[in-house]
Amino acid sequence: GQNIDQPTEMTATEGAIVQINCTYQTSGFNGLFWYQQHAGEAPTFLSYNVLDGLEEKGRFSSFLSRSKGYSYLLLKELQMKDSASYLCAVTNSNYQLIWGAGTKLIIKP
Amino acid sequence: DTAVSQTPKYLVTQMGNDKSIKCEQNLGHDTMYWYKQDSKKFLKIMFSYNNKELIINETVPNRFSPKSPDKAHLNLHINSLELGDSAVYFCASSQGEASGANVLTFGAGSRLTVL
């Protein structure tokens, strides 16, 4: 089967750094996405990785290791508004998008 | 201007009723999708249309029928609603069809509650 695993919930402190991990097992690989979803809202695109390595975009960075089937999303200088669910999704060889259940990130003052 | 708009935002109805959710995108995208997000927060693809043609039709009951009158619109009609249909339904669109890099733009969601 195909699956995406990520922690259900994480807690971090305002101003700190948090890393959200995602491991995947899919039939082929054509890219990995991270989306942010605030409670009661739509998911919004954060990042896309298709090659190994780190992609940095402001306070957010995303890392990919295709050989390990692993990615992480790194959030720096956490702000209260970063409290949200973070969804990992992988495009497989048939260009189907396989979604994880999301990691709920709680930021405390 | 809202990029992907869907109506209604909330829908409360009785079992056995028929209801529709409408979706429109003004991004000029070629592909539109319907996703279901249940209480466990998994996003499940239901249907995908590319230029008005059905390209993905996952295993959903045939009580669910999508309709795409043009590439900017994808509506979802549900017959004989059941309790298990309660969920948030998201419409989304993307630039192209088969590409690993297709970024999805989602609508705000339609929360359906079946009593």
mmCIF file of all heavy atoms in Angstrom, chain B residues 11-44:
data_model
loop_
_atom_site.group_PDB
_atom_site.id
_atom_site.type_symbol
_atom_site.label_atom_id
_atom_site.label_comp_id
_atom_site.label_asym_id
_atom_site.label_seq_id
_atom_site.Cartn_x
_atom_site.Cartn_y
_atom_site.Cartn_z
ATOM 1 N N LEU B 11 -23.741 23.531 5.237
ATOM 2 C CA LEU B 11 -24.940 22.869 4.739
ATOM 3 C C LEU B 11 -25.371 21.851 5.783
ATOM 4 O O LEU B 11 -24.628 20.920 6.104
ATOM 5 C CB LEU B 11 -24.602 22.174 3.422
ATOM 6 C CG LEU B 11 -25.697 21.647 2.527
ATOM 7 C CD1 LEU B 11 -26.760 22.680 2.284
ATOM 8 C CD2 LEU B 11 -25.097 21.190 1.205
ATOM 9 N N VAL B 12 -26.571 22.062 6.334
ATOM 10 C CA VAL B 12 -27.124 21.123 7.306
ATOM 11 C C VAL B 12 -28.408 20.575 6.714
ATOM 12 O O VAL B 12 -29.287 21.333 6.303
ATOM 13 C CB VAL B 12 -27.425 21.811 8.663
ATOM 14 C CG1 VAL B 12 -27.990 20.788 9.645
ATOM 15 C CG2 VAL B 12 -26.163 22.459 9.218
ATOM 16 N N THR B 13 -28.517 19.252 6.661
ATOM 17 C CA THR B 13 -29.664 18.664 5.981
ATOM 18 C C THR B 13 -30.013 17.315 6.604
ATOM 19 O O THR B 13 -29.247 16.759 7.400
ATOM 20 C CB THR B 13 -29.363 18.515 4.478
ATOM 21 O OG1 THR B 13 -30.550 18.134 3.789
ATOM 22 C CG2 THR B 13 -28.274 17.486 4.244
ATOM 23 N N GLN B 14 -31.153 16.806 6.231
ATOM 24 C CA GLN B 14 -31.628 15.532 6.765
ATOM 25 C C GLN B 14 -31.162 14.379 5.884
ATOM 26 O O GLN B 14 -30.941 14.538 4.668
ATOM 27 C CB GLN B 14 -33.160 15.515 6.814
ATOM 28 C CG GLN B 14 -33.778 16.608 7.676
ATOM 29 C CD GLN B 14 -33.604 16.333 9.150
ATOM 30 O OE1 GLN B 14 -33.516 15.189 9.582
ATOM 31 N NE2 GLN B 14 -33.517 17.392 9.933
ATOM 32 N N MET B 15 -31.042 13.224 6.489
ATOM 33 C CA MET B 15 -30.742 11.995 5.733
ATOM 34 C C MET B 15 -31.762 11.811 4.636
ATOM 35 O O MET B 15 -32.947 12.079 4.823
ATOM 36 C CB MET B 15 -30.842 10.787 6.676
ATOM 37 C CG MET B 15 -29.542 10.380 7.292
ATOM 38 S SD MET B 15 -29.574 8.703 7.964
ATOM 39 C CE MET B 15 -31.080 8.702 8.899
ATOM 40 N N GLY B 16 -31.290 11.356 3.496
ATOM 41 C CA GLY B 16 -32.188 11.056 2.395
ATOM 42 C C GLY B 16 -32.382 12.207 1.418
ATOM 43 O O GLY B 16 -32.865 12.002 0.296
ATOM 44 N N ASN B 17 -31.987 13.419 1.851
ATOM 45 C CA ASN B 17 -32.130 14.575 0.955
ATOM 46 C C ASN B 17 -31.056 14.561 -0.135
ATOM 47 O O ASN B 17 -30.055 13.847 -0.044
ATOM 48 C CB ASN B 17 -32.024 15.871 1.749
ATOM 49 C CG ASN B 17 -33.296 16.177 2.518
ATOM 50 O OD1 ASN B 17 -34.327 15.535 2.317
ATOM 51 N ND2 ASN B 17 -33.236 17.142 3.412
ATOM 52 N N ASP B 18 -31.290 15.396 -1.156
ATOM 53 C CA ASP B 18 -30.321 15.612 -2.229
ATOM 54 C C ASP B 18 -29.794 17.036 -2.114
ATOM 55 O O ASP B 18 -30.588 17.964 -1.908
ATOM 56 C CB ASP B 18 -30.972 15.444 -3.605
ATOM 57 C CG ASP B 18 -31.640 14.098 -3.785
ATOM 58 O OD1 ASP B 18 -31.275 13.152 -3.065
ATOM 59 O OD2 ASP B 18 -32.531 13.996 -4.659
ATOM 60 N N LYS B 19 -28.476 17.212 -2.251
ATOM 61 C CA LYS B 19 -27.902 18.554 -2.160
ATOM 62 C C LYS B 19 -26.786 18.728 -3.176
ATOM 63 O O LYS B 19 -26.184 17.759 -3.632
ATOM 64 C CB LYS B 19 -27.336 18.804 -0.748
ATOM 65 C CG LYS B 19 -28.388 18.942 0.339
ATOM 66 C CD LYS B 19 -29.234 20.172 0.143
ATOM 67 C CE LYS B 19 -30.344 20.242 1.185
ATOM 68 N NZ LYS B 19 -31.305 21.331 0.906
ATOM 69 N N SER B 20 -26.501 19.989 -3.487
ATOM 70 C CA SER B 20 -25.407 20.309 -4.412
ATOM 71 C C SER B 20 -24.460 21.325 -3.803
ATOM 72 O O SER B 20 -24.870 22.187 -3.015
ATOM 73 C CB SER B 20 -25.971 20.896 -5.707
ATOM 74 O OG SER B 20 -26.682 19.932 -6.432
ATOM 75 N N ILE B 21 -23.196 21.206 -4.174
ATOM 76 C CA ILE B 21 -22.169 22.188 -3.811
ATOM 77 C C ILE B 21 -21.567 22.691 -5.119
ATOM 78 O O ILE B 21 -21.245 21.890 -6.008
ATOM 79 C CB ILE B 21 -21.059 21.569 -2.944
ATOM 80 C CG1 ILE B 21 -21.649 20.838 -1.743
ATOM 81 C CG2 ILE B 21 -20.101 22.656 -2.470
ATOM 82 C CD1 ILE B 21 -20.613 20.043 -0.951
ATOM 83 N N LYS B 22 -21.430 24.023 -5.212
ATOM 84 C CA LYS B 22 -20.911 24.599 -6.451
ATOM 85 C C LYS B 22 -19.483 25.101 -6.252
ATOM 86 O O LYS B 22 -19.119 25.524 -5.159
ATOM 87 C CB LYS B 22 -21.812 25.744 -6.909
ATOM 88 C CG LYS B 22 -23.197 25.296 -7.290
ATOM 89 C CD LYS B 22 -24.016 26.441 -7.850
ATOM 90 C CE LYS B 22 -25.376 25.940 -8.310
ATOM 91 N NZ LYS B 22 -26.207 27.023 -8.895
ATOM 92 N N CYS B 23 -18.711 25.064 -7.310
ATOM 93 C CA CYS B 23 -17.335 25.544 -7.247
ATOM 94 C C CYS B 23 -16.973 26.265 -8.536
ATOM 95 O O CYS B 23 -17.298 25.795 -9.634
ATOM 96 C CB CYS B 23 -16.371 24.389 -7.014
ATOM 97 S SG CYS B 23 -14.644 24.906 -6.914
ATOM 98 N N GLU B 24 -16.270 27.380 -8.378
ATOM 99 C CA GLU B 24 -15.831 28.156 -9.527
ATOM 100 C C GLU B 24 -14.405 28.631 -9.272
ATOM 101 O O GLU B 24 -14.063 29.019 -8.148
ATOM 102 C CB GLU B 24 -16.754 29.363 -9.720
ATOM 103 C CG GLU B 24 -16.316 30.311 -10.815
ATOM 104 C CD GLU B 24 -17.240 31.512 -10.940
ATOM 105 O OE1 GLU B 24 -18.196 31.617 -10.161
ATOM 106 O OE2 GLU B 24 -16.990 32.351 -11.831
ATOM 107 N N GLN B 25 -13.573 28.604 -10.298
ATOM 108 C CA GLN B 25 -12.212 29.147 -10.152
ATOM 109 C C GLN B 25 -11.955 30.171 -11.266
ATOM 110 O O GLN B 25 -12.372 29.976 -12.407
ATOM 111 C CB GLN B 25 -11.148 28.028 -10.164
ATOM 112 C CG GLN B 25 -11.185 27.107 -11.363
ATOM 113 C CD GLN B 25 -10.222 27.425 -12.458
ATOM 114 O OE1 GLN B 25 -9.449 28.393 -12.368
ATOM 115 N NE2 GLN B 25 -10.258 26.637 -13.525
ATOM 116 N N ASN B 26 -11.292 31.268 -10.883
ATOM 117 C CA ASN B 26 -11.001 32.334 -11.857
ATOM 118 C C ASN B 26 -9.496 32.441 -12.125
ATOM 119 O O ASN B 26 -8.997 33.516 -12.474
ATOM 120 C CB ASN B 26 -11.567 33.666 -11.352
ATOM 121 C CG ASN B 26 -10.950 34.131 -10.043
ATOM 122 O OD1 ASN B 26 -10.015 33.513 -9.540
ATOM 123 N ND2 ASN B 26 -11.462 35.210 -9.493
ATOM 124 N N LEU B 27 -8.788 31.323 -11.951
ATOM 125 C CA LEU B 27 -7.333 31.303 -12.131
ATOM 126 C C LEU B 27 -6.929 30.881 -13.533
ATOM 127 O O LEU B 27 -5.736 30.887 -13.853
ATOM 128 C CB LEU B 27 -6.715 30.337 -11.107
ATOM 129 C CG LEU B 27 -6.915 30.733 -9.648
ATOM 130 C CD1 LEU B 27 -6.565 29.575 -8.724
ATOM 131 C CD2 LEU B 27 -6.078 31.955 -9.312
ATOM 132 N N GLY B 28 -7.881 30.471 -14.327
ATOM 133 C CA GLY B 28 -7.555 29.973 -15.663
ATOM 134 C C GLY B 28 -6.933 28.585 -15.635
ATOM 135 O O GLY B 28 -6.316 28.164 -16.608
ATOM 136 N N HIS B 29 -7.098 27.887 -14.527
ATOM 137 C CA HIS B 29 -6.533 26.535 -14.400
ATOM 138 C C HIS B 29 -7.301 25.538 -15.264
ATOM 139 O O HIS B 29 -8.484 25.711 -15.538
ATOM 140 C CB HIS B 29 -6.567 26.078 -12.935
ATOM 141 C CG HIS B 29 -5.526 26.729 -12.097
ATOM 142 N ND1 HIS B 29 -5.508 26.613 -10.718
ATOM 143 C CD2 HIS B 29 -4.447 27.486 -12.414
ATOM 144 C CE1 HIS B 29 -4.475 27.279 -10.232
ATOM 145 N NE2 HIS B 29 -3.820 27.820 -11.250
ATOM 146 N N ASP B 30 -6.575 24.464 -15.647
ATOM 147 C CA ASP B 30 -7.188 23.448 -16.510
ATOM 148 C C ASP B 30 -7.837 22.311 -15.731
ATOM 149 O O ASP B 30 -8.690 21.611 -16.251
ATOM 150 C CB ASP B 30 -6.119 22.829 -17.424
ATOM 151 C CG ASP B 30 -5.584 23.841 -18.425
ATOM 152 O OD1 ASP B 30 -6.380 24.655 -18.919
ATOM 153 O OD2 ASP B 30 -4.367 23.803 -18.708
ATOM 154 N N THR B 31 -7.393 22.105 -14.493
ATOM 155 C CA THR B 31 -7.837 20.927 -13.755
ATOM 156 C C THR B 31 -8.514 21.337 -12.452
ATOM 157 O O THR B 31 -8.043 22.230 -11.755
ATOM 158 C CB THR B 31 -6.631 20.001 -13.437
ATOM 159 O OG1 THR B 31 -5.955 19.706 -14.656
ATOM 160 C CG2 THR B 31 -7.104 18.703 -12.801
ATOM 161 N N MET B 32 -9.631 20.677 -12.173
ATOM 162 C CA MET B 32 -10.360 20.930 -10.924
ATOM 163 C C MET B 32 -10.617 19.615 -10.215
ATOM 164 O O MET B 32 -10.683 18.553 -10.842
ATOM 165 C CB MET B 32 -11.673 21.661 -11.213
ATOM 166 C CG MET B 32 -11.459 23.050 -11.783
ATOM 167 S SD MET B 32 -12.978 23.992 -11.982
ATOM 168 C CE MET B 32 -13.398 24.372 -10.268
ATOM 169 N N TYR B 33 -10.764 19.707 -8.891
ATOM 170 C CA TYR B 33 -10.847 18.516 -8.040
ATOM 171 C C TYR B 33 -11.936 18.689 -6.978
ATOM 172 O O TYR B 33 -12.223 19.811 -6.553
ATOM 173 C CB TYR B 33 -9.526 18.293 -7.274
ATOM 174 C CG TYR B 33 -8.266 18.344 -8.078
ATOM 175 C CD1 TYR B 33 -7.705 19.562 -8.449
ATOM 176 C CD2 TYR B 33 -7.599 17.167 -8.441
ATOM 177 C CE1 TYR B 33 -6.515 19.615 -9.175
ATOM 178 C CE2 TYR B 33 -6.421 17.216 -9.162
ATOM 179 C CZ TYR B 33 -5.885 18.446 -9.522
ATOM 180 O OH TYR B 33 -4.706 18.485 -10.234
ATOM 181 N N TRP B 34 -12.452 17.571 -6.521
ATOM 182 C CA TRP B 34 -13.232 17.527 -5.289
ATOM 183 C C TRP B 34 -12.520 16.598 -4.314
ATOM 184 O O TRP B 34 -12.188 15.458 -4.658
ATOM 185 C CB TRP B 34 -14.656 17.029 -5.519
ATOM 186 C CG TRP B 34 -15.586 18.107 -5.962
ATOM 187 C CD1 TRP B 34 -16.159 18.247 -7.185
ATOM 188 C CD2 TRP B 34 -16.046 19.211 -5.180
ATOM 189 N NE1 TRP B 34 -16.947 19.372 -7.226
ATOM 190 C CE2 TRP B 34 -16.897 19.986 -5.999
ATOM 191 C CE3 TRP B 34 -15.826 19.645 -3.865
ATOM 192 C CZ2 TRP B 34 -17.518 21.156 -5.572
ATOM 193 C CZ3 TRP B 34 -16.439 20.803 -3.435
ATOM 194 C CH2 TRP B 34 -17.280 21.538 -4.273
ATOM 195 N N TYR B 35 -12.307 17.121 -3.095
ATOM 196 C CA TYR B 35 -11.718 16.349 -2.014
ATOM 197 C C TYR B 35 -12.709 16.275 -0.864
ATOM 198 O O TYR B 35 -13.478 17.202 -0.632
ATOM 199 C CB TYR B 35 -10.443 17.024 -1.476
ATOM 200 C CG TYR B 35 -9.189 16.735 -2.247
ATOM 201 C CD1 TYR B 35 -8.807 17.534 -3.317
ATOM 202 C CD2 TYR B 35 -8.369 15.667 -1.886
ATOM 203 C CE1 TYR B 35 -7.635 17.278 -4.003
ATOM 204 C CE2 TYR B 35 -7.194 15.401 -2.568
ATOM 205 C CZ TYR B 35 -6.836 16.215 -3.627
ATOM 206 O OH TYR B 35 -5.675 15.956 -4.313
ATOM 207 N N LYS B 36 -12.640 15.184 -0.100
ATOM 208 C CA LYS B 36 -13.417 15.041 1.125
ATOM 209 C C LYS B 36 -12.440 14.981 2.287
ATOM 210 O O LYS B 36 -11.465 14.217 2.235
ATOM 211 C CB LYS B 36 -14.255 13.764 1.066
ATOM 212 C CG LYS B 36 -15.085 13.503 2.326
ATOM 213 C CD LYS B 36 -15.877 12.203 2.185
ATOM 214 C CE LYS B 36 -16.698 11.933 3.438
ATOM 215 N NZ LYS B 36 -17.479 10.662 3.330
ATOM 216 N N GLN B 37 -12.677 15.788 3.324
ATOM 217 C CA GLN B 37 -11.844 15.730 4.525
ATOM 218 C C GLN B 37 -12.744 15.339 5.700
ATOM 219 O O GLN B 37 -13.632 16.084 6.093
ATOM 220 C CB GLN B 37 -11.161 17.067 4.808
ATOM 221 C CG GLN B 37 -10.124 16.977 5.914
ATOM 222 C CD GLN B 37 -9.317 18.263 6.070
ATOM 223 O OE1 GLN B 37 -9.864 19.368 6.041
ATOM 224 N NE2 GLN B 37 -8.004 18.140 6.232
ATOM 225 N N ASP B 38 -12.491 14.151 6.235
ATOM 226 C CA ASP B 38 -13.344 13.667 7.312
ATOM 227 C C ASP B 38 -12.817 14.137 8.669
ATOM 228 O O ASP B 38 -11.881 14.923 8.751
ATOM 229 C CB ASP B 38 -13.455 12.140 7.256
ATOM 230 C CG ASP B 38 -12.099 11.462 7.365
ATOM 231 O OD1 ASP B 38 -11.146 12.060 7.927
ATOM 232 O OD2 ASP B 38 -11.968 10.320 6.894
ATOM 233 N N SER B 39 -13.417 13.630 9.709
ATOM 234 C CA SER B 39 -13.071 14.086 11.067
ATOM 235 C C SER B 39 -11.639 13.743 11.444
ATOM 236 O O SER B 39 -11.055 14.383 12.313
ATOM 237 C CB SER B 39 -14.033 13.465 12.083
ATOM 238 O OG SER B 39 -13.992 12.058 11.984
ATOM 239 N N LYS B 40 -11.038 12.769 10.773
ATOM 240 C CA LYS B 40 -9.645 12.405 11.048
ATOM 241 C C LYS B 40 -8.679 13.248 10.224
ATOM 242 O O LYS B 40 -7.471 13.036 10.274
ATOM 243 C CB LYS B 40 -9.424 10.914 10.775
ATOM 244 C CG LYS B 40 -10.181 10.022 11.732
ATOM 245 C CD LYS B 40 -9.879 8.564 11.485
ATOM 246 C CE LYS B 40 -10.651 7.700 12.471
ATOM 247 N NZ LYS B 40 -10.448 6.260 12.237
ATOM 248 N N LYS B 41 -9.215 14.173 9.464
ATOM 249 C CA LYS B 41 -8.431 15.165 8.726
ATOM 250 C C LYS B 41 -7.724 14.640 7.481
ATOM 251 O O LYS B 41 -6.955 15.363 6.871
ATOM 252 C CB LYS B 41 -7.400 15.857 9.641
ATOM 253 C CG LYS B 41 -8.036 16.541 10.832
ATOM 254 C CD LYS B 41 -9.067 17.549 10.418
ATOM 255 C CE LYS B 41 -9.683 18.227 11.619
ATOM 256 N NZ LYS B 41 -10.822 19.087 11.241
ATOM 257 N N PHE B 42 -7.956 13.358 7.105
ATOM 258 C CA PHE B 42 -7.378 12.885 5.854
ATOM 259 C C PHE B 42 -8.095 13.546 4.687
ATOM 260 O O PHE B 42 -9.319 13.628 4.669
ATOM 261 C CB PHE B 42 -7.557 11.368 5.704
ATOM 262 C CG PHE B 42 -6.448 10.566 6.296
ATOM 263 C CD1 PHE B 42 -6.633 9.855 7.467
ATOM 264 C CD2 PHE B 42 -5.211 10.499 5.666
ATOM 265 C CE1 PHE B 42 -5.599 9.109 8.016
ATOM 266 C CE2 PHE B 42 -4.184 9.748 6.206
ATOM 267 C CZ PHE B 42 -4.375 9.052 7.379
ATOM 268 N N LEU B 43 -7.291 14.023 3.734
ATOM 269 C CA LEU B 43 -7.858 14.547 2.497
ATOM 270 C C LEU B 43 -7.941 13.404 1.503
ATOM 271 O O LEU B 43 -6.927 12.801 1.149
ATOM 272 C CB LEU B 43 -6.971 15.647 1.928
ATOM 273 C CG LEU B 43 -7.232 17.068 2.409
ATOM 274 C CD1 LEU B 43 -6.089 17.964 1.995
ATOM 275 C CD2 LEU B 43 -8.549 17.592 1.874
ATOM 276 N N LYS B 44 -9.149 13.114 1.013
ATOM 277 C CA LYS B 44 -9.316 12.025 0.056
ATOM 278 C C LYS B 44 -9.831 12.584 -1.259
ATOM 279 O O LYS B 44 -10.859 13.264 -1.287
ATOM 280 C CB LYS B 44 -10.314 10.990 0.593
ATOM 281 C CG LYS B 44 -9.844 10.278 1.838
ATOM 282 C CD LYS B 44 -10.880 9.282 2.315
ATOM 283 C CE LYS B 44 -10.477 8.670 3.648
ATOM 284 N NZ LYS B 44 -11.514 7.803 4.204
#
